[in-house]
Amino acid sequence: YYITALSFALFKKTAFFARLPFVVIGLFSLLFLHLILKEEFGNKKINLYALIVLGLSASFLLFIRQARHYALAILLPLIIYYYYKKYLKTDKKYFLIFVVMASAALFYSQASACISFIGALTADYFLFYFKKKTLIPLIISFLLFVALTIPLVIINKLFSHSEVFFEKQGIWILNKLILLYWNIREINSLGWLPITIFAGLLIILIIAIKNRQFLNDHHKYTAFIKEWLLIVFVFILFATFFTLQTVSDTFIADIRYIVALLPFTAGLIAVFLFLTEKKSKILAFILLLLVVFTNFLSIPLIPSRDILNRQVRFDLIWYINEVHHDYTTPYEAIVEFLGQNAEQGDIVF
């Protein structure tokens, strides 16, 4: 809201200027994804694949054009991760200042995304990077983060929402398991991480376990795949248990709670395409086209009532067509209907 208010103060109070700062924020997420992958690999092809997959994702384009917190939920985890890895590689503690500030900003933007991402990074640290000398500064950074975010927790009573721990119907843990499945299903059906690409990544890890030479030749890629898959699935796990969404009122996951994963799944797809390109450039190119333009690679896990999981889609093409063709919005249709059928003073409900 403050970002939108600032944009209105500097420019005009229009939908364009309400959306503009969030589009810019979204574009900065492409920059930070580039910086992260450059640090990890120094490979221009992987960077290009990742930027194409993320930048042409219909979900990404839809989220960053909204005058809401979604663009921040995409950018801020990347900033956190970038400076977190900078600290681990250099042991320079001033990088943690950026981690704390970006984490606090993410908490104030979307608290559930912040909790989920901190949970994912915690698992990442203890599984892959734990060292006694780096632990204490990280604990101090976490305490500073808590101090910065306690006011919001107290004022807005963030953890008082009964939906997080109770549901109207069913058994809580079973409902959470259903929601966990829905979240995994949706990142497949929307093409964030198609099940076929995920299977390919698992095959690469299995080959690395069985073939020492392959592991030695591809160590940085397999290490990256393991780390980012961990981040994705631990994030989903936390997002499932710290969300306001219930399963009694719908039959699909509310993906706005996991939108922060978009750059991370794009990075995983990019590495898979790069390793595929080593074997066949034509196959890698075909897979890239399928990822960007269709949902062909998102084979439904289990038949669903949700139409997203049943029909062949061309989301990017449909998105481009939609934004270039005016259509009646729900609000315009309501106004038109009331103008024709209601009179001044009528009660509308």
Side-chain angles (χ1 to χ4, degrees):
Y1 296 119
Y2 291 115
I3 293 173
T4 305
L6 177 62
S7 181
F8 283 169
L10 293 174
F11 305 107
K12 295 180 180 179
K13 294 180 181 179
T14 64
F16 176 83
F17 287 113
R19 298 174 190 269
L20 179 63
F22 298 97
V23 173
V24 173
I25 290 168
L27 295 178
F28 268 100
S29 66
L30 294 173
L31 171 63
F32 269 90
L33 180 59
H34 163 75
L35 292 174
I36 289 169
L37 295 177
K38 184 180 179 181
E39 289 279 336
E40 293 285 344
F41 305 110
N43 186 297
K44 292 182 179 179
K45 286 188 177 180
I46 292 178
N47 280 32
L48 182 61
Y49 277 134
L51 296 180
I52 290 173
V53 171
L54 180 60
L56 295 180
S57 163
S59 294
F60 176 74
L61 295 171
L62 283 166
F63 275 119
I64 68 170
R65 72 190 290 267
Q66 297 185 52
R68 300 193 68 184
H69 58 266
Y70 305 130
L72 289 166
I74 296 171
L75 172 63
L76 291 171
L78 290 171
I79 295 175
I80 295 167
Y81 183 84
Y82 177 73
Y83 287 109
Y84 156 77
K85 291 298 289 286
K86 279 282 193 182
Y87 163 67
L88 293 178
K89 289 180 179 180
T90 65
D91 200 29
K92 293 179 180 178
K93 299 176 180 60
Y94 66 83
F95 285 124
L96 292 176
I97 297 173
F98 298 102
V99 172
V100 172
M101 298 305 294
S103 298
L106 179 59
F107 191 85
Y108 277 85
S109 300
Q110 191 181 42
S112 63
C114 183
I115 294 169
S116 301
F117 194 67
I118 289 176
L121 279 194
T122 301
D124 176 69
Y125 174 74
F126 281 106
L127 279 176
F128 300 118
Y129 299 107
F130 174 74
K131 291 181 181 178
K132 288 184 179 179
K133 69 174 184 177
T134 59
L135 179 60
I136 298 301
L138 286 171
I139 292 174
I140 293 171
S141 299
F142 177 74
L143 293 176
L144 288 173
F145 161 77
V146 171
L148 289 171
T149 55
I150 276 179
L152 182 66
V153 174
I154 295 174
I155 293 172
N156 288 353
K157 300 178 180 179
L158 286 185
F159 298 106
S160 64
H161 295 284
S162 62
E163 295 93 334
V164 176
F165 303 105
F166 303 99
E167 289 223 30
K168 300 174 185 176
Q169 303 172 8
I171 301 171
W172 179 81
I173 187 63
L174 292 180
N175 288 339
K176 289 299 181 182
L177 290 175
I178 292 170
L179 183 57
L180 176 63
Y181 165 71
W182 286 357
N183 280 321
I184 295 172
R185 182 191 64 192
E186 260 56 279
I187 68 169
N188 168 56
S189 64
L190 291 169
W192 297 9
L193 185 60
I195 188 66
T196 47
I197 300 287
F198 174 67
L201 292 169
L202 290 184
I203 290 171
I204 290 170
L205 295 180
I206 292 169
I207 293 173
I209 292 172
K210 294 186 175 183
N211 188 324
R212 178 66 62 177
Q213 185 61 46
F214 181 88
L215 177 61
N216 292 336
D217 294 342
H218 300 84
H219 173 71
K220 61 182 178 181
Y221 306 114
T222 55
F224 175 87
I225 292 169
K226 287 188 290 185
E227 181 180 353
W228 278 37
L229 280 178
L230 176 77
I231 288 172
V232 167
F233 286 104
V234 174
F235 185 102
I236 291 174
L237 190 64
F238 272 83
T240 298
F241 285 88
F242 288 92
T243 179
L244 297 179
Q245 182 180 0
T246 64
V247 300
S248 55
D249 300 322
T250 183
F251 50 86
I252 58 173
D254 191 339
I255 58 170
R256 59 182 171 164
Y257 292 114
I258 57 173
V259 67
L261 293 179
L262 270 168
F264 294 91
T265 55
L268 287 166
I269 293 173
V271 171
F272 178 78
L273 292 174
F274 173 74
L275 294 177
T276 302
E277 183 185 309
K278 284 188 166 187
K279 297 294 183 180
S280 170
K281 290 184 179 180
I282 295 176
L283 178 59
F285 182 69
I286 292 172
L287 290 175
L288 176 63
L289 292 179
L290 292 176
V291 167
V292 170
F293 291 104
T294 78
N295 67 332
F296 287 172
L297 300 179
S298 301
I299 300 171
L301 299 179
I302 295 176
S304 169
R305 289 180 292 168
D306 177 18
I307 195 169
L308 287 179
N309 290 292
R310 289 192 281 113
Q311 68 174 169
V312 175
R313 301 194 318 277
F314 304 90
D315 290 343
L316 179 61
I317 296 172
W318 292 349
Y319 170 79
I320 293 171
N321 181 67
E322 178 182 305
V323 297
H324 287 88
H325 291 83
D326 194 20
Y327 62 94
T328 303
T329 68
Y331 299 110
E332 289 172 336
I334 291 170
V335 170
E336 182 180 350
F337 175 82
L338 292 178
Q340 295 173 356
N341 299 279
E343 297 180 359
Q344 188 69 30
D346 284 351
I347 298 175
V348 178
F349 59 92

